[in-house]
PDB file of all heavy atoms in Angstrom:
ATOM      1  N   ARG A 105      -0.520   4.298  11.715  1.00 87.00           N
ATOM      2  CA  ARG A 105       0.537   5.306  11.860  1.00 87.00           C
ATOM      3  C   ARG A 105       0.741   5.675  13.330  1.00 87.00           C
ATOM      4  O   ARG A 105       1.883   5.865  13.773  1.00 87.00           O
ATOM      5  CB  ARG A 105       0.183   6.553  11.052  1.00 87.00           C
ATOM      6  CG  ARG A 105       0.198   6.327   9.533  1.00 87.00           C
ATOM      7  CD  ARG A 105       0.117   7.641   8.771  1.00 87.00           C
ATOM      8  NE  ARG A 105       0.038   7.419   7.339  1.00 87.00           N
ATOM      9  CZ  ARG A 105      -1.082   7.444   6.639  1.00 87.00           C
ATOM     10  NH1 ARG A 105      -2.236   7.690   7.229  1.00 87.00           N
ATOM     11  NH2 ARG A 105      -1.061   7.225   5.327  1.00 87.00           N
ATOM     12  N   THR A 106      -0.358   5.799  14.073  1.00 88.00           N
ATOM     13  CA  THR A 106      -0.207   6.153  15.488  1.00 88.00           C
ATOM     14  C   THR A 106       0.485   5.031  16.255  1.00 88.00           C
ATOM     15  O   THR A 106       1.280   5.301  17.163  1.00 88.00           O
ATOM     16  CB  THR A 106      -1.567   6.463  16.149  1.00 88.00           C
ATOM     17  OG1 THR A 106      -2.402   5.312  16.121  1.00 88.00           O
ATOM     18  CG2 THR A 106      -2.258   7.607  15.449  1.00 88.00           C
ATOM     19  N   ARG A 107       0.190   3.788  15.898  1.00 84.00           N
ATOM     20  CA  ARG A 107       0.850   2.671  16.573  1.00 84.00           C
ATOM     21  C   ARG A 107       2.361   2.705  16.291  1.00 84.00           C
ATOM     22  O   ARG A 107       3.176   2.456  17.183  1.00 84.00           O
ATOM     23  CB  ARG A 107       0.261   1.340  16.122  1.00 84.00           C
ATOM     24  CG  ARG A 107       0.925   0.131  16.790  1.00 84.00           C
ATOM     25  CD  ARG A 107       0.289  -1.185  16.423  1.00 84.00           C
ATOM     26  NE  ARG A 107      -0.956  -1.367  17.160  1.00 84.00           N
ATOM     27  CZ  ARG A 107      -2.156  -1.217  16.614  1.00 84.00           C
ATOM     28  NH1 ARG A 107      -2.273  -0.893  15.331  1.00 84.00           N
ATOM     29  NH2 ARG A 107      -3.254  -1.395  17.337  1.00 84.00           N
ATOM     30  N   LEU A 108       2.726   3.004  15.066  1.00 87.00           N
ATOM     31  CA  LEU A 108       4.144   3.101  14.720  1.00 87.00           C
ATOM     32  C   LEU A 108       4.816   4.241  15.491  1.00 87.00           C
ATOM     33  O   LEU A 108       5.963   4.113  15.926  1.00 87.00           O
ATOM     34  CB  LEU A 108       4.308   3.310  13.213  1.00 87.00           C
ATOM     35  CG  LEU A 108       3.880   2.127  12.331  1.00 87.00           C
ATOM     36  CD1 LEU A 108       3.951   2.506  10.853  1.00 87.00           C
ATOM     37  CD2 LEU A 108       4.733   0.896  12.614  1.00 87.00           C
ATOM     38  N   LEU A 109       4.095   5.359  15.654  1.00 88.00           N
ATOM     39  CA  LEU A 109       4.629   6.469  16.438  1.00 88.00           C
ATOM     40  C   LEU A 109       4.855   6.053  17.887  1.00 88.00           C
ATOM     41  O   LEU A 109       5.879   6.387  18.490  1.00 88.00           O
ATOM     42  CB  LEU A 109       3.675   7.674  16.380  1.00 88.00           C
ATOM     43  CG  LEU A 109       3.611   8.433  15.057  1.00 88.00           C
ATOM     44  CD1 LEU A 109       2.472   9.447  15.085  1.00 88.00           C
ATOM     45  CD2 LEU A 109       4.936   9.134  14.769  1.00 88.00           C
ATOM     46  N   LEU A 110       3.892   5.325  18.447  1.00 87.00           N
ATOM     47  CA  LEU A 110       4.035   4.841  19.819  1.00 87.00           C
ATOM     48  C   LEU A 110       5.248   3.929  19.944  1.00 87.00           C
ATOM     49  O   LEU A 110       6.031   4.035  20.897  1.00 87.00           O
ATOM     50  CB  LEU A 110       2.775   4.084  20.255  1.00 87.00           C
ATOM     51  CG  LEU A 110       1.571   4.920  20.672  1.00 87.00           C
ATOM     52  CD1 LEU A 110       0.387   4.014  20.988  1.00 87.00           C
ATOM     53  CD2 LEU A 110       1.906   5.783  21.880  1.00 87.00           C
ATOM     54  N   ASN A 111       5.376   3.009  18.994  1.00 82.00           N
ATOM     55  CA  ASN A 111       6.504   2.076  19.029  1.00 82.00           C
ATOM     56  C   ASN A 111       7.835   2.793  18.884  1.00 82.00           C
ATOM     57  O   ASN A 111       8.870   2.292  19.343  1.00 82.00           O
ATOM     58  CB  ASN A 111       6.343   1.019  17.935  1.00 82.00           C
ATOM     59  CG  ASN A 111       5.168   0.097  18.188  1.00 82.00           C
ATOM     60  OD1 ASN A 111       4.669   0.008  19.306  1.00 82.00           O
ATOM     61  ND2 ASN A 111       4.710  -0.586  17.152  1.00 82.00           N
ATOM     62  N   ASP A 112       7.792   3.976  18.254  1.00 84.00           N
ATOM     63  CA  ASP A 112       9.007   4.781  18.075  1.00 84.00           C
ATOM     64  C   ASP A 112       9.164   5.806  19.196  1.00 84.00           C
ATOM     65  O   ASP A 112      10.017   6.693  19.126  1.00 84.00           O
ATOM     66  CB  ASP A 112       8.944   5.498  16.720  1.00 84.00           C
ATOM     67  CG  ASP A 112      10.305   6.008  16.273  1.00 84.00           C
ATOM     68  OD1 ASP A 112      11.315   5.336  16.555  1.00 84.00           O
ATOM     69  OD2 ASP A 112      10.358   7.074  15.633  1.00 84.00           O
ATOM     70  N   ASN A 113       8.311   5.674  20.221  1.00 88.00           N
ATOM     71  CA  ASN A 113       8.345   6.548  21.395  1.00 88.00           C
ATOM     72  C   ASN A 113       8.030   8.008  21.077  1.00 88.00           C
ATOM     73  O   ASN A 113       8.417   8.908  21.809  1.00 88.00           O
ATOM     74  CB  ASN A 113       9.703   6.465  22.105  1.00 88.00           C
ATOM     75  CG  ASN A 113       9.604   6.836  23.579  1.00 88.00           C
ATOM     76  OD1 ASN A 113       8.616   6.543  24.243  1.00 88.00           O
ATOM     77  ND2 ASN A 113      10.629   7.476  24.102  1.00 88.00           N
ATOM     78  N   GLN A 114       7.284   8.234  20.001  1.00 92.00           N
ATOM     79  CA  GLN A 114       6.839   9.597  19.667  1.00 92.00           C
ATOM     80  C   GLN A 114       5.423   9.773  20.244  1.00 92.00           C
ATOM     81  O   GLN A 114       4.436   9.837  19.528  1.00 92.00           O
ATOM     82  CB  GLN A 114       6.861   9.803  18.150  1.00 92.00           C
ATOM     83  CG  GLN A 114       8.253   9.685  17.550  1.00 92.00           C
ATOM     84  CD  GLN A 114       8.275   9.996  16.064  1.00 92.00           C
ATOM     85  OE1 GLN A 114       7.755  11.024  15.616  1.00 92.00           O
ATOM     86  NE2 GLN A 114       8.868   9.107  15.276  1.00 92.00           N
ATOM     87  N   ILE A 115       5.364   9.861  21.554  1.00 92.00           N
ATOM     88  CA  ILE A 115       4.098   9.807  22.283  1.00 92.00           C
ATOM     89  C   ILE A 115       3.205  11.012  21.987  1.00 92.00           C
ATOM     90  O   ILE A 115       1.999  10.860  21.729  1.00 92.00           O
ATOM     91  CB  ILE A 115       4.343   9.698  23.802  1.00 92.00           C
ATOM     92  CG1 ILE A 115       5.348   8.576  24.103  1.00 92.00           C
ATOM     93  CG2 ILE A 115       3.031   9.462  24.525  1.00 92.00           C
ATOM     94  CD1 ILE A 115       4.953   7.227  23.589  1.00 92.00           C
ATOM     95  N   GLU A 116       3.774  12.211  22.042  1.00 94.00           N
ATOM     96  CA  GLU A 116       2.974  13.418  21.829  1.00 94.00           C
ATOM     97  C   GLU A 116       2.361  13.424  20.432  1.00 94.00           C
ATOM     98  O   GLU A 116       1.196  13.809  20.251  1.00 94.00           O
ATOM     99  CB  GLU A 116       3.835  14.669  22.033  1.00 94.00           C
ATOM    100  CG  GLU A 116       4.261  14.906  23.476  1.00 94.00           C
ATOM    101  CD  GLU A 116       3.074  15.215  24.383  1.00 94.00           C
ATOM    102  OE1 GLU A 116       1.999  15.594  23.870  1.00 94.00           O
ATOM    103  OE2 GLU A 116       3.224  15.077  25.608  1.00 94.00           O
ATOM    104  N   ALA A 117       3.123  13.010  19.445  1.00 92.00           N
ATOM    105  CA  ALA A 117       2.614  12.973  18.066  1.00 92.00           C
ATOM    106  C   ALA A 117       1.459  11.981  17.955  1.00 92.00           C
ATOM    107  O   ALA A 117       0.456  12.254  17.288  1.00 92.00           O
ATOM    108  CB  ALA A 117       3.731  12.597  17.105  1.00 92.00           C
ATOM    109  N   ALA A 118       1.589  10.832  18.611  1.00 91.00           N
ATOM    110  CA  ALA A 118       0.527   9.831  18.582  1.00 91.00           C
ATOM    111  C   ALA A 118      -0.732  10.353  19.272  1.00 91.00           C
ATOM    112  O   ALA A 118      -1.851  10.210  18.756  1.00 91.00           O
ATOM    113  CB  ALA A 118       0.994   8.539  19.251  1.00 91.00           C
ATOM    114  N   LEU A 119      -0.553  10.983  20.424  1.00 93.00           N
ATOM    115  CA  LEU A 119      -1.704  11.501  21.175  1.00 93.00           C
ATOM    116  C   LEU A 119      -2.442  12.583  20.392  1.00 93.00           C
ATOM    117  O   LEU A 119      -3.658  12.716  20.513  1.00 93.00           O
ATOM    118  CB  LEU A 119      -1.243  12.057  22.524  1.00 93.00           C
ATOM    119  CG  LEU A 119      -1.017  11.027  23.631  1.00 93.00           C
ATOM    120  CD1 LEU A 119      -0.412  11.684  24.861  1.00 93.00           C
ATOM    121  CD2 LEU A 119      -2.324  10.319  23.998  1.00 93.00           C
ATOM    122  N   ALA A 120      -1.717  13.347  19.608  1.00 93.00           N
ATOM    123  CA  ALA A 120      -2.351  14.408  18.823  1.00 93.00           C
ATOM    124  C   ALA A 120      -3.253  13.833  17.737  1.00 93.00           C
ATOM    125  O   ALA A 120      -4.262  14.448  17.351  1.00 93.00           O
ATOM    126  CB  ALA A 120      -1.287  15.302  18.204  1.00 93.00           C
ATOM    127  N   MET A 121      -2.924  12.653  17.235  1.00 92.00           N
ATOM    128  CA  MET A 121      -3.685  12.056  16.138  1.00 92.00           C
ATOM    129  C   MET A 121      -4.929  11.304  16.613  1.00 92.00           C
ATOM    130  O   MET A 121      -5.892  11.158  15.864  1.00 92.00           O
ATOM    131  CB  MET A 121      -2.792  11.077  15.358  1.00 92.00           C
ATOM    132  CG  MET A 121      -1.671  11.730  14.574  1.00 92.00           C
ATOM    133  SD  MET A 121      -0.642  10.509  13.711  1.00 92.00           S
ATOM    134  CE  MET A 121      -1.843   9.857  12.527  1.00 92.00           C
ATOM    135  N   LEU A 122      -4.911  10.818  17.855  1.00 93.00           N
ATOM    136  CA  LEU A 122      -5.940   9.868  18.284  1.00 93.00           C
ATOM    137  C   LEU A 122      -7.326  10.465  18.578  1.00 93.00           C
ATOM    138  O   LEU A 122      -8.338   9.851  18.226  1.00 93.00           O
ATOM    139  CB  LEU A 122      -5.437   9.079  19.493  1.00 93.00           C
ATOM    140  CG  LEU A 122      -4.346   8.061  19.157  1.00 93.00           C
ATOM    141  CD1 LEU A 122      -3.658   7.553  20.418  1.00 93.00           C
ATOM    142  CD2 LEU A 122      -4.944   6.897  18.369  1.00 93.00           C
ATOM    143  N   PRO A 123      -7.452  11.644  19.211  1.00 93.00           N
ATOM    144  CA  PRO A 123      -8.797  12.155  19.523  1.00 93.00           C
ATOM    145  C   PRO A 123      -9.720  12.296  18.321  1.00 93.00           C
ATOM    146  O   PRO A 123     -10.877  11.865  18.376  1.00 93.00           O
ATOM    147  CB  PRO A 123      -8.517  13.493  20.210  1.00 93.00           C
ATOM    148  CG  PRO A 123      -7.176  13.304  20.821  1.00 93.00           C
ATOM    149  CD  PRO A 123      -6.407  12.476  19.841  1.00 93.00           C
ATOM    150  N   PRO A 124      -9.281  12.878  17.192  1.00 91.00           N
ATOM    151  CA  PRO A 124     -10.192  12.962  16.042  1.00 91.00           C
ATOM    152  C   PRO A 124     -10.554  11.598  15.469  1.00 91.00           C
ATOM    153  O   PRO A 124     -11.663  11.410  14.962  1.00 91.00           O
ATOM    154  CB  PRO A 124      -9.415  13.805  15.016  1.00 91.00           C
ATOM    155  CG  PRO A 124      -7.995  13.775  15.460  1.00 91.00           C
ATOM    156  CD  PRO A 124      -8.025  13.624  16.924  1.00 91.00           C
ATOM    157  N   LEU A 125      -9.632  10.639  15.569  1.00 90.00           N
ATOM    158  CA  LEU A 125      -9.946   9.278  15.107  1.00 90.00           C
ATOM    159  C   LEU A 125     -11.026   8.664  15.986  1.00 90.00           C
ATOM    160  O   LEU A 125     -11.945   7.995  15.490  1.00 90.00           O
ATOM    161  CB  LEU A 125      -8.686   8.403  15.132  1.00 90.00           C
ATOM    162  CG  LEU A 125      -7.598   8.727  14.109  1.00 90.00           C
ATOM    163  CD1 LEU A 125      -6.403   7.798  14.300  1.00 90.00           C
ATOM    164  CD2 LEU A 125      -8.139   8.598  12.697  1.00 90.00           C
ATOM    165  N   LEU A 126     -10.928   8.879  17.293  1.00 91.00           N
ATOM    166  CA  LEU A 126     -11.930   8.348  18.205  1.00 91.00           C
ATOM    167  C   LEU A 126     -13.287   8.999  17.953  1.00 91.00           C
ATOM    168  O   LEU A 126     -14.324   8.321  17.922  1.00 91.00           O
ATOM    169  CB  LEU A 126     -11.496   8.583  19.658  1.00 91.00           C
ATOM    170  CG  LEU A 126     -12.471   8.084  20.731  1.00 91.00           C
ATOM    171  CD1 LEU A 126     -12.713   6.580  20.599  1.00 91.00           C
ATOM    172  CD2 LEU A 126     -11.947   8.419  22.128  1.00 91.00           C
ATOM    173  N   GLU A 127     -13.283  10.305  17.758  1.00 91.00           N
ATOM    174  CA  GLU A 127     -14.539  11.015  17.488  1.00 91.00           C
ATOM    175  C   GLU A 127     -15.203  10.488  16.220  1.00 91.00           C
ATOM    176  O   GLU A 127     -16.427  10.279  16.177  1.00 91.00           O
ATOM    177  CB  GLU A 127     -14.274  12.510  17.359  1.00 91.00           C
ATOM    178  CG  GLU A 127     -15.538  13.333  17.134  1.00 91.00           C
ATOM    179  CD  GLU A 127     -15.245  14.823  17.026  1.00 91.00           C
ATOM    180  OE1 GLU A 127     -14.087  15.222  17.222  1.00 91.00           O
ATOM    181  OE2 GLU A 127     -16.186  15.590  16.729  1.00 91.00           O
ATOM    182  N   SER A 128     -14.409  10.252  15.202  1.00 88.00           N
ATOM    183  CA  SER A 128     -14.950   9.727  13.939  1.00 88.00           C
ATOM    184  C   SER A 128     -15.518   8.327  14.126  1.00 88.00           C
ATOM    185  O   SER A 128     -16.596   8.003  13.617  1.00 88.00           O
ATOM    186  CB  SER A 128     -13.869   9.718  12.865  1.00 88.00           C
ATOM    187  OG  SER A 128     -14.368   9.192  11.657  1.00 88.00           O
ATOM    188  N   ALA A 129     -14.783   7.469  14.858  1.00 86.00           N
ATOM    189  CA  ALA A 129     -15.257   6.103  15.107  1.00 86.00           C
ATOM    190  C   ALA A 129     -16.560   6.116  15.897  1.00 86.00           C
ATOM    191  O   ALA A 129     -17.476   5.321  15.641  1.00 86.00           O
ATOM    192  CB  ALA A 129     -14.188   5.301  15.845  1.00 86.00           C
ATOM    193  N   GLU A 130     -16.665   7.028  16.858  1.00 89.00           N
ATOM    194  CA  GLU A 130     -17.895   7.145  17.647  1.00 89.00           C
ATOM    195  C   GLU A 130     -19.054   7.600  16.771  1.00 89.00           C
ATOM    196  O   GLU A 130     -20.172   7.071  16.885  1.00 89.00           O
ATOM    197  CB  GLU A 130     -17.675   8.135  18.799  1.00 89.00           C
ATOM    198  CG  GLU A 130     -16.744   7.616  19.874  1.00 89.00           C
ATOM    199  CD  GLU A 130     -16.388   8.687  20.893  1.00 89.00           C
ATOM    200  OE1 GLU A 130     -16.426   9.894  20.544  1.00 89.00           O
ATOM    201  OE2 GLU A 130     -16.054   8.335  22.030  1.00 89.00           O
ATOM    202  N   THR A 131     -18.798   8.557  15.884  1.00 88.00           N
ATOM    203  CA  THR A 131     -19.836   9.059  14.989  1.00 88.00           C
ATOM    204  C   THR A 131     -20.362   7.941  14.084  1.00 88.00           C
ATOM    205  O   THR A 131     -21.559   7.849  13.826  1.00 88.00           O
ATOM    206  CB  THR A 131     -19.290  10.213  14.123  1.00 88.00           C
ATOM    207  OG1 THR A 131     -18.875  11.280  14.984  1.00 88.00           O
ATOM    208  CG2 THR A 131     -20.354  10.725  13.164  1.00 88.00           C
ATOM    209  N   GLN A 132     -19.449   7.099  13.618  1.00 84.00           N
ATOM    210  CA  GLN A 132     -19.830   6.008  12.727  1.00 84.00           C
ATOM    211  C   GLN A 132     -20.305   4.761  13.482  1.00 84.00           C
ATOM    212  O   GLN A 132     -20.675   3.763  12.876  1.00 84.00           O
ATOM    213  CB  GLN A 132     -18.629   5.623  11.844  1.00 84.00           C
ATOM    214  CG  GLN A 132     -18.173   6.739  10.923  1.00 84.00           C
ATOM    215  CD  GLN A 132     -16.938   6.340  10.142  1.00 84.00           C
ATOM    216  OE1 GLN A 132     -16.997   5.515   9.234  1.00 84.00           O
ATOM    217  NE2 GLN A 132     -15.791   6.919  10.498  1.00 84.00           N
ATOM    218  N   GLU A 133     -20.252   4.836  14.829  1.00 86.00           N
ATOM    219  CA  GLU A 133     -20.614   3.703  15.682  1.00 86.00           C
ATOM    220  C   GLU A 133     -19.781   2.475  15.315  1.00 86.00           C
ATOM    221  O   GLU A 133     -20.273   1.346  15.267  1.00 86.00           O
ATOM    222  CB  GLU A 133     -22.114   3.397  15.585  1.00 86.00           C
ATOM    223  CG  GLU A 133     -22.986   4.542  16.065  1.00 86.00           C
ATOM    224  CD  GLU A 133     -24.465   4.218  16.041  1.00 86.00           C
ATOM    225  OE1 GLU A 133     -24.832   3.197  15.430  1.00 86.00           O
ATOM    226  OE2 GLU A 133     -25.242   4.967  16.647  1.00 86.00           O
ATOM    227  N   TYR A 134     -18.495   2.728  15.060  1.00 86.00           N
ATOM    228  CA  TYR A 134     -17.551   1.674  14.689  1.00 86.00           C
ATOM    229  C   TYR A 134     -16.909   1.157  15.976  1.00 86.00           C
ATOM    230  O   TYR A 134     -15.870   1.632  16.406  1.00 86.00           O
ATOM    231  CB  TYR A 134     -16.522   2.249  13.720  1.00 86.00           C
ATOM    232  CG  TYR A 134     -15.478   1.291  13.231  1.00 86.00           C
ATOM    233  CD1 TYR A 134     -15.731  -0.064  13.072  1.00 86.00           C
ATOM    234  CD2 TYR A 134     -14.202   1.759  12.903  1.00 86.00           C
ATOM    235  CE1 TYR A 134     -14.762  -0.933  12.620  1.00 86.00           C
ATOM    236  CE2 TYR A 134     -13.217   0.897  12.436  1.00 86.00           C
ATOM    237  CZ  TYR A 134     -13.511  -0.447  12.298  1.00 86.00           C
ATOM    238  OH  TYR A 134     -12.532  -1.302  11.847  1.00 86.00           O
ATOM    239  N   LEU A 135     -17.548   0.159  16.596  1.00 89.00           N
ATOM    240  CA  LEU A 135     -17.176  -0.291  17.934  1.00 89.00           C
ATOM    241  C   LEU A 135     -15.737  -0.776  18.011  1.00 89.00           C
ATOM    242  O   LEU A 135     -14.989  -0.360  18.902  1.00 89.00           O
ATOM    243  CB  LEU A 135     -18.130  -1.403  18.384  1.00 89.00           C
ATOM    244  CG  LEU A 135     -17.842  -1.996  19.771  1.00 89.00           C
ATOM    245  CD1 LEU A 135     -17.985  -0.936  20.852  1.00 89.00           C
ATOM    246  CD2 LEU A 135     -18.775  -3.170  20.050  1.00 89.00           C
ATOM    247  N   TRP A 136     -15.342  -1.666  17.106  1.00 88.00           N
ATOM    248  CA  TRP A 136     -13.992  -2.217  17.185  1.00 88.00           C
ATOM    249  C   TRP A 136     -12.948  -1.110  17.032  1.00 88.00           C
ATOM    250  O   TRP A 136     -11.940  -1.089  17.747  1.00 88.00           O
ATOM    251  CB  TRP A 136     -13.798  -3.290  16.119  1.00 88.00           C
ATOM    252  CG  TRP A 136     -12.481  -3.991  16.227  1.00 88.00           C
ATOM    253  CD1 TRP A 136     -12.128  -4.973  17.105  1.00 88.00           C
ATOM    254  CD2 TRP A 136     -11.307  -3.738  15.437  1.00 88.00           C
ATOM    255  NE1 TRP A 136     -10.821  -5.363  16.908  1.00 88.00           N
ATOM    256  CE2 TRP A 136     -10.289  -4.621  15.890  1.00 88.00           C
ATOM    257  CE3 TRP A 136     -11.027  -2.873  14.392  1.00 88.00           C
ATOM    258  CZ2 TRP A 136      -9.017  -4.651  15.324  1.00 88.00           C
ATOM    259  CZ3 TRP A 136      -9.747  -2.892  13.830  1.00 88.00           C
ATOM    260  CH2 TRP A 136      -8.764  -3.774  14.297  1.00 88.00           C
ATOM    261  N   GLY A 137     -13.204  -0.167  16.122  1.00 87.00           N
ATOM    262  CA  GLY A 137     -12.293   0.950  15.955  1.00 87.00           C
ATOM    263  C   GLY A 137     -12.196   1.785  17.216  1.00 87.00           C
ATOM    264  O   GLY A 137     -11.106   2.219  17.609  1.00 87.00           O
ATOM    265  N   MET A 138     -13.324   2.032  17.876  1.00 92.00           N
ATOM    266  CA  MET A 138     -13.315   2.783  19.128  1.00 92.00           C
ATOM    267  C   MET A 138     -12.443   2.094  20.166  1.00 92.00           C
ATOM    268  O   MET A 138     -11.631   2.741  20.849  1.00 92.00           O
ATOM    269  CB  MET A 138     -14.752   2.926  19.666  1.00 92.00           C
ATOM    270  CG  MET A 138     -15.642   3.831  18.846  1.00 92.00           C
ATOM    271  SD  MET A 138     -17.390   3.679  19.338  1.00 92.00           S
ATOM    272  CE  MET A 138     -17.290   4.103  21.076  1.00 92.00           C
ATOM    273  N   ILE A 139     -12.601   0.788  20.285  1.00 93.00           N
ATOM    274  CA  ILE A 139     -11.847   0.032  21.286  1.00 93.00           C
ATOM    275  C   ILE A 139     -10.353   0.114  21.008  1.00 93.00           C
ATOM    276  O   ILE A 139      -9.545   0.378  21.908  1.00 93.00           O
ATOM    277  CB  ILE A 139     -12.315  -1.430  21.323  1.00 93.00           C
ATOM    278  CG1 ILE A 139     -13.760  -1.507  21.846  1.00 93.00           C
ATOM    279  CG2 ILE A 139     -11.390  -2.285  22.194  1.00 93.00           C
ATOM    280  CD1 ILE A 139     -14.437  -2.841  21.615  1.00 93.00           C
ATOM    281  N   LYS A 140      -9.954  -0.096  19.753  1.00 92.00           N
ATOM    282  CA  LYS A 140      -8.535  -0.072  19.409  1.00 92.00           C
ATOM    283  C   LYS A 140      -7.927   1.314  19.666  1.00 92.00           C
ATOM    284  O   LYS A 140      -6.793   1.427  20.149  1.00 92.00           O
ATOM    285  CB  LYS A 140      -8.339  -0.456  17.944  1.00 92.00           C
ATOM    286  CG  LYS A 140      -8.714  -1.891  17.621  1.00 92.00           C
ATOM    287  CD  LYS A 140      -7.886  -2.898  18.399  1.00 92.00           C
ATOM    288  CE  LYS A 140      -6.479  -3.023  17.889  1.00 92.00           C
ATOM    289  NZ  LYS A 140      -5.717  -4.119  18.565  1.00 92.00           N
ATOM    290  N   ILE A 141      -8.683   2.367  19.358  1.00 94.00           N
ATOM    291  CA  ILE A 141      -8.172   3.722  19.575  1.00 94.00           C
ATOM    292  C   ILE A 141      -8.040   4.006  21.070  1.00 94.00           C
ATOM    293  O   ILE A 141      -7.050   4.599  21.524  1.00 94.00           O
ATOM    294  CB  ILE A 141      -9.088   4.761  18.900  1.00 94.00           C
ATOM    295  CG1 ILE A 141      -9.033   4.588  17.368  1.00 94.00           C
ATOM    296  CG2 ILE A 141      -8.667   6.183  19.279  1.00 94.00           C
ATOM    297  CD1 ILE A 141     -10.145   5.278  16.626  1.00 94.00           C
ATOM    298  N   LEU A 142      -8.998   3.578  21.855  1.00 96.00           N
ATOM    299  CA  LEU A 142      -8.918   3.746  23.312  1.00 96.00           C
ATOM    300  C   LEU A 142      -7.694   3.027  23.874  1.00 96.00           C
ATOM    301  O   LEU A 142      -7.016   3.541  24.772  1.00 96.00           O
ATOM    302  CB  LEU A 142     -10.191   3.213  23.978  1.00 96.00           C
ATOM    303  CG  LEU A 142     -11.442   4.076  23.808  1.00 96.00           C
ATOM    304  CD1 LEU A 142     -12.685   3.298  24.233  1.00 96.00           C
ATOM    305  CD2 LEU A 142     -11.332   5.375  24.604  1.00 96.00           C
ATOM    306  N   LEU A 143      -7.403   1.843  23.339  1.00 95.00           N
ATOM    307  CA  LEU A 143      -6.235   1.094  23.813  1.00 95.00           C
ATOM    308  C   LEU A 143      -4.935   1.812  23.444  1.00 95.00           C
ATOM    309  O   LEU A 143      -3.988   1.837  24.241  1.00 95.00           O
ATOM    310  CB  LEU A 143      -6.245  -0.323  23.241  1.00 95.00           C
ATOM    311  CG  LEU A 143      -7.395  -1.221  23.698  1.00 95.00           C
ATOM    312  CD1 LEU A 143      -7.263  -2.613  23.095  1.00 95.00           C
ATOM    313  CD2 LEU A 143      -7.460  -1.315  25.223  1.00 95.00           C
TER     314      LEU A 143
END
């Protein structure tokens, strides 16, 4: 969903969604997910 928001130029909405996703990926030590969210 965040990627679709980015592609639709809804940058602020995408940025609002990403930090909790990154925190969750870090908690689960989900490396690939962390990398994709950082990108």
Side-chain angles (χ1 to χ4, degrees):
R105 293 191 184 99
T106 62
R107 179 176 283 104
L108 293 174
L109 288 171
L110 281 177
N111 293 342
D112 197 35
N113 205 35
Q114 297 184 50
I115 310 303
E116 291 294 341
L119 279 173
M121 292 179 66
L122 288 166
L125 291 178
L126 179 59
E127 182 179 355
S128 179
E130 290 172 334
T131 299
Q132 297 176 72
E133 298 183 347
Y134 180 31
L135 179 63
W136 186 78
M138 291 168 58
I139 293 166
K140 294 299 286 186
I141 294 164
L142 287 167
L143 295 182

